[in-house]
Amino acid sequence: IQRRVHGDLRLKAKMSTKKLNPFNPKKYAKPGLREEEVIEIKEAFDLFDMDGGGTIDPKEMLAAIKAMGLAGNIQTITSMIQDMDADGSGSVDFQEFIDMMTASMDEKTSRDDTYRVFQYMDLERTNQLTFANVKRVAAELGETMTDEELREMMAVCDIDKDGAITPDDFYQCLTKKCLEGSLAAEAPGPIASM
């Protein structure tokens, strides 16, 4: 009973704080990000912020991912939260969430970040991602792709067609530079002629 009373009091305190401090999209709008877009990002944030506390912790993120029908594990989710958590609080507030959602990185930062992800996937440190690497990461993330789908994805990203993905292949794929030509070549009609 005592827990419930304290929980009810915390919930009422949060609700009254929200009434006193309503969400103001103007506070987060900036060049290239309209108020309407801020509101959409806030709605997405609120889906993950299940207790309405103004932050997303690993347990909330995991619950939201599972509610979407996706699989995940607490270690992977905790790592994702740590990557977004600029202030080291162990959770993500709306400012950190919107910064992550609207980040525009320069090419050097983007290359460095994609290489760190590449290294995480390349356990053998061969500087190549093999089918086994991609399949392991897909399983860790709870993706239910067939071997055929994974091979198709690798084929699109394997620019030099050597059966493995190099760091440069990986960067090109993540920045969609290799997909533009591939998709245009496969697409019928106006896209193919672009």
Side-chain angles (χ1 to χ4, degrees), residues 129-149:
L129 296 181
T130 62
F131 176 76
N133 297 129
V134 174
K135 186 171 182 167
R136 175 188 56 82
V137 171
E140 284 178 10
L141 295 174
E143 291 294 328
T144 55
M145 297 174 74
T146 65
D147 287 358
E148 183 179 338
E149 290 170 324

Side-chain angles (χ1 to χ4, degrees), residues 75-96:
Q75 293 85 7
T76 303
I77 301 300
T78 300
S79 177
M80 287 172 56
I81 293 286
Q82 287 171 344
D83 289 344
M84 292 186 277
D85 181 17
D87 65 7
S89 65
S91 61
V92 176
D93 62 27
F94 183 67
Q95 184 64 60
E96 292 166 329

Side-chain angles (χ1 to χ4, degrees), residues 94-164:
F94 183 67
Q95 184 64 60
E96 292 166 329
F97 188 80
I98 200 167
D99 288 346
M100 184 268 311
M101 295 294 288
T102 61
S104 59
M105 299 179 288
D106 62 24
E107 186 162 329
K108 181 186 180 331
T109 302
S110 181
R111 278 196 182 273
D112 291 346
D113 289 343
T114 57
Y115 189 67
R116 278 195 285 278
V117 173
F118 181 91
Q119 288 177 313
Y120 168 76
M121 295 174 72
D122 180 22
L123 288 180
E124 298 85 20
R125 300 295 181 243
T126 61
N127 222 31
Q128 295 182 21
L129 296 181
T130 62
F131 176 76
N133 297 129
V134 174
K135 186 171 182 167
R136 175 188 56 82
V137 171
E140 284 178 10
L141 295 174
E143 291 294 328
T144 55
M145 297 174 74
T146 65
D147 287 358
E148 183 179 338
E149 290 170 324
L150 289 172
R151 281 187 172 75
E152 286 175 15
M153 181 181 73
M154 283 191 67
V156 170
C157 292
D158 183 13
I159 294 169
D160 57 8
K161 305 301 178 207
D162 63 354

Side-chain angles (χ1 to χ4, degrees), residues 158-177:
D158 183 13
I159 294 169
D160 57 8
K161 305 301 178 207
D162 63 354
I165 299 172
T166 65
D168 190 55
D169 292 340
F170 189 69
Y171 173 77
Q172 297 294 324
C173 261
L174 289 183
T175 58
K176 299 182 182 174
K177 292 178 181 172

Side-chain angles (χ1 to χ4, degrees), residues 22-33:
F23 178 70
N24 181 3
K26 289 180 182 180
K27 178 180 175 184
Y28 300 97
K30 54 187 173 186
L33 183 64

